[in-house]
Amino acid sequence: MRVGFVGLGRMGAHMARNLVQAGHAVTVFDVRPEAVEVLVELGAEAASSAVGVAPRAEFVFTSLPGPVEVTGTWQGDYGLLANLETGAIGIDLSTVGADTSRSVESEARSRGKRYMDAPVSGGVGGAEAGTLSLMIGGSEEDFEEAFPVLSAIGSSDKIYRCGDIGAGSVTKLVNNLIGMTTNVVIAEAFSMGVKAGVDANVLLDVVTASSGNSATLAQWKDSVLQRDFTPGFMLALGHKDVRLALELAEQLDIPMPVTSVGKERLAAALAEGWGEEAVAVVARLQERDADTVIDGRPSNS
Ligand code: NAD
């Protein structure tokens, strides 16, 4: 297949590489030329603009930070939709709100084009291994047609059609609301445990083997406990996802008291200037308030 790919960040670079390695003819673009260069060395073709990936492409993917970049790249007379080949399918892998996905799809339809939302989960490790889960919002027909190419970036048993356009984005926000705010709860629980005298590694091992375990906790082993907040998934993006979830809840008139507190903690960490660190860096706020450090390095035992 001929594939276009825009956005070669922590996730997109691996996904584009997996498409190349699956034998697709991939044309790539990112505003960072060095990111494009890496993919060209792996066999992709470079485009000099986002719309430059569209000619002759049967599928065009974007993996961009958020709604502003997604609408800016797809919409308008100079955007990707206007330049998609007739019959091609546009697929956005970014995490955005359902309103963004629906707005882009509505313009796609008015231009006689096809578009689906396909946010992903599984982190940089999942992107690298090609084992992401994908949450698709789009027609059954488009889903079936895109499935073989989607299988290059996700596990084929984890590619879900969640419903029509926007349903993938809603599902992703449900997932990330849980994952992001869980960091805040783990920080409170672990600061209490450590201050009460239990080793952070013991807490991690026992909770991991018990009912408090979660995918978020699994990330703490190499981040908070090692005092290494290299992202993975940046705090700024995690904060964006919880903000988008709360916007959706507001549209639906649903109270979200616990999520609101979680978002405030992420916002406070963002205000500390930690936006480009891993989301688990939010633990530092709690450590400061609790006057304790959740440190699992050997020198601390
Ligand atoms: P990132 O910031 O590492 O990558 C974004 C890329 O987009 C960068 O390379 C940037 O240069 C490029 N970019 C920005 N604006 C652009 C534009 N207008 N045109 C072309 N390129 C542009 O982010 P990421 O971690 O790769 O995440 C990408 C998306 O995937 C986000 O929506 C994020 O919420 C979502 N996501 C991330 C993870 C993760 O673990 N990192 C997991 C699941 C979903």
Side-chain angles (χ1 to χ4, degrees):
M1 297 285 179
R2 295 197 69 89
V3 173
F5 203 107
V6 178
L8 305 169
R10 288 172 182 80
M11 299 295 284
H14 289 303
M15 294 192 272
R17 178 184 44 76
N18 282 328
L19 286 161
V20 171
Q21 287 176 351
H24 300 294
V26 185
T27 304
V28 298
F29 176 73
D30 192 288
V31 288
R32 295 180 302 117
E34 66 276 17
V36 173
E37 199 45 52
V38 172
L39 260 294
V40 168
E41 277 166 24
L42 295 169
E45 218 175 284
S48 55
S49 66
V51 295
V53 310
R56 293 187 296 137
E58 293 152 291
F59 298 93
V60 172
F61 290 92
T62 48
S63 174
L64 295 165
V68 173
E69 295 82 6
V70 168
T71 53
T73 301
W74 284 99
Q75 295 188 299
D77 289 342
Y78 301 101
L80 270 176
L81 292 177
N83 286 276
L84 266 193
E85 300 283 356
T86 304
I89 302 181
I91 304 174
D92 180 37
L93 303 159
S94 325
T95 304
V96 297
D99 47 354
T100 296
S101 302
R102 290 185 187 128
S103 154
V104 179
E105 195 273 342
S106 161
E107 181 178 326
R109 235 176 322 117
S110 73
R111 291 179 182 273
K113 307 289 172 69
R114 298 193 280 168
Y115 178 84
M116 54 170 65
D117 52 326
V120 305
S121 184
V124 173
E128 189 168 7
T131 57
L132 293 167
S133 62
L134 273 72
M135 309 165 207
I136 314 293
S139 72
E140 270 182 52
E141 185 195 347
D142 291 356
F143 177 74
E144 296 297 333
E145 200 172 319
F147 195 89
V149 78
L150 294 172
S151 307
I153 56 182
S155 291
S156 43
D157 60 343
K158 293 197 288 178
I159 303 176
Y160 303 95
R161 178 174 176 264
C162 302
D164 291 331
I165 185 70
S169 297
V170 170
T171 308
K172 173 65 178 169
L173 294 185
V174 167
N175 181 74
N176 275 30
L177 180 165
I178 296 168
M180 298 306 111
T181 56
T182 299
N183 279 292
V184 176
V185 176
I186 298 173
E188 291 187 6
F190 271 53
S191 68
M192 179 186 76
V194 168
K195 196 160 189 181
V198 181
D199 185 282
N201 291 303
V202 172
L203 293 174
L204 184 86
D205 289 346
V206 176
V207 176
T208 298
S210 306
S211 58
N213 192 24
S214 67
T216 301
L217 181 63
Q219 291 162 4
W220 274 50
K221 185 172 192 223
D222 297 324
S223 58
V224 181
L225 270 71
Q226 294 307 312
R227 315 310 294 166
D228 179 357
F229 297 102
T230 310
F233 188 57
M234 286 189 293
L235 170 68
L237 293 178
H239 173 263
K240 169 208 66 174
D241 294 352
V242 180
R243 177 177 56 76
L244 290 171
L246 285 173
E247 283 172 16
L248 177 61
E250 197 173 327
Q251 288 161 20
L252 298 167
D253 284 332
I254 297 176
M256 305 282 272
V258 175
T259 307
S260 300
V261 170
K263 191 209 131 198
E264 286 311 311
R265 293 297 268 176
L266 296 173
L270 205 54
E272 296 282 342
W274 302 335
E276 295 194 359
E277 303 199 58
V279 182
V281 74
V282 72
R284 278 195 189 149
L285 289 180
Q286 177 65 13
E287 290 176 334
R288 199 161 65 194
D289 294 348
D291 193 22
T292 193
V293 180
I294 306 162
D295 191 339
R297 292 171 299 182
S299 56
N300 191 50
S301 307

